[in-house]
């Protein structure tokens, strides 16, 4: 893993937070605040702020047991 670089790939983030890559892609569709850079063939590159947001979302969903809709409301999205 390239922890000293500015960006992380989806596989690095998925491994770090013990979630599947498809879960991260699903979260992108549900949480507009989560928007990794998409370069060269739609490969996702997560910035530090994206990775921190993923940790926060995972905590809200898995630890605090808040629904996706509840997390969306926390983020100010009413859909």
């Amino acid at each position: 893993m390239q922890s000293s670089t500015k960006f992380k790939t989806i596989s690095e983030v998925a491994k770090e937070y013990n979630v599947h890559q498809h879960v991260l892609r699903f979260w992108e569709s549900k949480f507009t605040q989560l928007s990794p850079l998409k370069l060269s063939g739609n490969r996702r590159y997560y910035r530090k702020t994206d990775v921190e947001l993923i940790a926060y979302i995972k905590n809200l969903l898995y630890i605090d047991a808040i629904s996706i809709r509840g997390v969306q409301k926390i983020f100010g999205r009413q859909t």
Side-chain angles (χ1 to χ4, degrees):
M1 183 169 8
Q2 304 169 359
S3 59
S4 63
T5 61
K6 211 173 198 180
F7 301 104
K8 292 185 178 185
T9 64
I10 192 168
S11 61
E12 291 172 331
V13 175
K15 185 176 181 180
E16 182 176 340
Y17 289 97
N18 195 28
V19 294
H20 294 282
Q21 293 179 24
H22 70 270
V23 172
L24 294 175
R25 290 189 291 271
F26 176 74
W27 288 353
E28 287 175 31
S29 71
K30 295 297 179 182
F31 307 109
T32 57
Q33 298 81 1
L34 183 58
S35 58
L37 294 176
K38 291 184 183 175
L39 306 173
S40 65
N42 270 349
R43 289 188 51 125
R44 289 167 169 80
Y45 294 95
Y46 292 90
R47 297 169 286 238
K48 182 181 178 185
T49 56
D50 294 320
V51 173
E52 291 170 351
L53 184 59
I54 287 168
Y56 183 55
I57 290 171
K58 182 180 179 193
N59 185 57
L60 290 172
L61 292 172
Y62 295 167
I63 305 299
D64 296 339
I66 299 174
S67 67
I68 288 177
R69 186 170 296 244
V71 176
Q72 288 173 331
K73 287 182 181 180
I74 289 171
F75 290 158
R77 181 175 167 197
Q78 298 295 326
T79 57

